[in-house]
Amino acid sequence: MGVKLILLISCIHFVFWGSVAQEYRRIVSYNVENLFDTRHDEGKSDEDFTPVGRQHWNHSRYTDKLQKISRVIYAAGEGQYPALVGLCEVENRRVLADLVGKTLLVEADYGILHQDSPDFRGIDVALLYRRSCFRVLGQCSISVRNPQDSSFRTRDVLYVSGILKSADTLRQDTFHLFVCHFPSMSGGEMQSEWKRELAASVVKYRVDSILQRNPRAAIVLLGDFNEKANRPALKKVLKAQSSDSRKIENTRLYNTGYYLLNAAFGSYKYRGEWQTIDHIIVSGVLLNGGHTFRAERRLKPYISDFLMEEDKTYFGYKPWRTFVGPRYLGGYSDHLPVYLDIH
């Protein structure tokens, strides 16, 4: 066999196996910072996001926001649209329909999973899924209620079960997804911690129920949890350990962003400090080889120059947000998306 032919075969072999190695399904979590339409919904405190409201939110600003968010989702896929996108701070199904149907996302053929929740401001969570990658089996909203205070309101958790298909469509298996937006730190981190612990306890109950029926269940929790990986709601209630742990057990939860504690970058910047309050948490079976699919050990924040602006107060750079108070900046979001690849 000639040298040139051997080299040619070697190159084909390398390209083929290189392409196989790149096959994955990407899961993205993104708090899009107040994706409101321009209408007032009865019973919701969304008057600020109307043309006559405090934010002077009009059709031009709304459509610009949609285009920007679609650009982020496409860019976060780094060459292919993400298979699953968990979104926080979306007002209703209308804004989601506009996002997937009137922007560049139309070519991705995303389906929408969303249900209105009782949040006072009217913001919800949602899941976008590529129909070619994921087949929905079921969905429901999980309410977070305070039995001692009937007036307590926060975002529902969106639960979705479905079949994820591999990039080569030769493999498929069931996934259980929880899209979360836990209560904020408004009023102080310590003072509001009980609210996030309450939300975490509701999710943990559902997760345990699934694992009791199937200890090898593939479970993914994603969204804005409004606290760091080592805070009580995540560490003590959800019992989510670092995904870098040496021993990975099927039925435990592991936070793939744990390594970002005290890192010089993250998904959110507060008073000059980078932190990660957006998480993707998975059941151990997705990390230890015990499932049809395998997740990467570490999520990654998607960081790009077009998403950033100069931090003139604390130096460096920060996410280019849409508003600071009532002042319109015209950016993307105060959060950066995070993503995790499933092979």
Side-chain angles (χ1 to χ4, degrees), residues 2-3 19 26 31 50 81 104 135 138 176 218 269 280 294 299 309 327:
V3 174
S19 65
R26 178 161 292 182
N31 181 322
T50 61
Y81 288 101
L104 60 85
R135 178 165 61 89
H176 302 269
K269 194 176 186 184
I280 301 179
R294 188 163 194 155
L299 64 73
E309 66 172 343
R327 184 161 61 94

Side-chain angles (χ1 to χ4, degrees), residues 115-187:
Q115 294 186 24
D116 288 317
S117 66
D119 180 82
F120 286 116
R121 295 178 57 225
I123 56 172
D124 308 321
V125 298
L127 184 74
L128 306 181
Y129 65 97
R130 293 194 69 187
R131 291 184 174 91
S132 61
C133 305
F134 188 77
R135 178 165 61 89
V136 177
L137 297 177
Q139 67 160 319
C140 70
S141 286
I142 303 170
S143 297
V144 179
R145 301 295 191 193
N146 181 3
Q148 298 177 345
D149 181 3
S150 60
S151 67
F152 177 80
R153 295 287 186 275
T154 189
R155 279 78 59 176
D156 286 349
V157 175
L158 177 64
Y159 165 70
V160 176
S161 63
I163 305 293
L164 183 69
K165 304 172 187 175
S166 65
D168 56 15
T169 69
L170 297 177
R171 295 173 294 128
Q172 60 180 23
D173 213 331
T174 304
F175 273 68
H176 302 269
L177 300 115
F178 294 82
V179 188
C180 308
H181 186 188
F182 282 5
S184 74
M185 289 183 272
S186 178

Side-chain angles (χ1 to χ4, degrees), residues 61-311:
R61 290 181 174 183
Y62 170 62
T63 55
D64 180 67
K65 175 89 169 179
L66 289 174
Q67 297 296 338
K68 282 185 164 70
I69 297 305
S70 69
R71 180 187 178 189
V72 177
I73 292 172
Y74 173 74
E78 296 180 310
Q80 58 180 311
Y81 288 101
L84 299 163
V85 183
L87 297 175
C88 297
E89 294 197 16
V90 295
E91 184 184 14
N92 50 44
R93 192 176 183 88
R94 285 195 300 269
V95 301
L96 294 163
D98 287 344
L99 179 63
V100 303
K102 298 181 179 180
T103 70
L104 60 85
L105 297 185
V106 69
E107 63 186 26
D109 190 28
Y110 277 116
I112 298 169
L113 296 172
H114 163 267
Q115 294 186 24
D116 288 317
S117 66
D119 180 82
F120 286 116
R121 295 178 57 225
I123 56 172
D124 308 321
V125 298
L127 184 74
L128 306 181
Y129 65 97
R130 293 194 69 187
R131 291 184 174 91
S132 61
C133 305
F134 188 77
R135 178 165 61 89
V136 177
L137 297 177
Q139 67 160 319
C140 70
S141 286
I142 303 170
S143 297
V144 179
R145 301 295 191 193
N146 181 3
Q148 298 177 345
D149 181 3
S150 60
S151 67
F152 177 80
R153 295 287 186 275
T154 189
R155 279 78 59 176
D156 286 349
V157 175
L158 177 64
Y159 165 70
V160 176
S161 63
I163 305 293
L164 183 69
K165 304 172 187 175
S166 65
D168 56 15
T169 69
L170 297 177
R171 295 173 294 128
Q172 60 180 23
D173 213 331
T174 304
F175 273 68
H176 302 269
L177 300 115
F178 294 82
V179 188
C180 308
H181 186 188
F182 282 5
S184 74
M185 289 183 272
S186 178
E189 183 177 6
M190 298 295 292
Q191 293 82 353
S192 61
E193 180 61 42
W194 69 269
K195 299 178 184 180
R196 291 181 293 281
E197 291 185 28
L198 178 63
S201 67
V202 170
V203 174
K204 186 65 164 60
Y205 175 81
R206 295 298 184 107
V207 167
D208 288 347
S209 297
I210 294 169
L211 290 172
Q212 191 171 33
R213 295 193 304 270
N214 178 13
R216 294 165 58 84
I219 296 174
V220 180
L221 283 54
L222 67 158
D224 177 0
F225 292 80
N226 265 311
E227 67 179 29
K228 301 175 185 177
N230 62 349
R231 297 296 299 158
L234 300 187
K235 190 172 182 180
K236 292 184 179 179
V237 180
L238 288 177
K239 295 181 169 58
Q241 301 181 0
S242 170
S243 58
D244 289 331
S245 301
R246 294 182 64 181
K247 184 180 180 181
I248 302 292
E249 301 176 36
N250 284 357
T251 57
R252 297 192 72 95
L253 295 177
Y254 296 88
N255 192 330
T256 62
Y258 212 103
Y259 76 101
L260 290 170
L261 279 173
N262 304 315
F265 64 99
S267 67
Y268 185 76
K269 194 176 186 184
Y270 180 70
R271 294 183 178 176
E273 178 192 356
W274 277 106
Q275 51 189 278
T276 297
I277 59 177
D278 306 275
H279 302 278
I280 301 179
I281 299 168
V282 301
S283 54
V285 73
L286 283 170
L287 298 175
N288 63 12
H291 192 265
T292 305
F293 291 90
R294 188 163 194 155
E296 295 284 344
R297 284 275 181 138
R298 293 180 168 187
L299 64 73
K300 297 180 179 66
Y302 179 74
I303 303 172
S304 183
D305 289 346
F306 76 88
L307 288 172
M308 311 297 284
E309 66 172 343
E310 183 181 359
D311 188 342

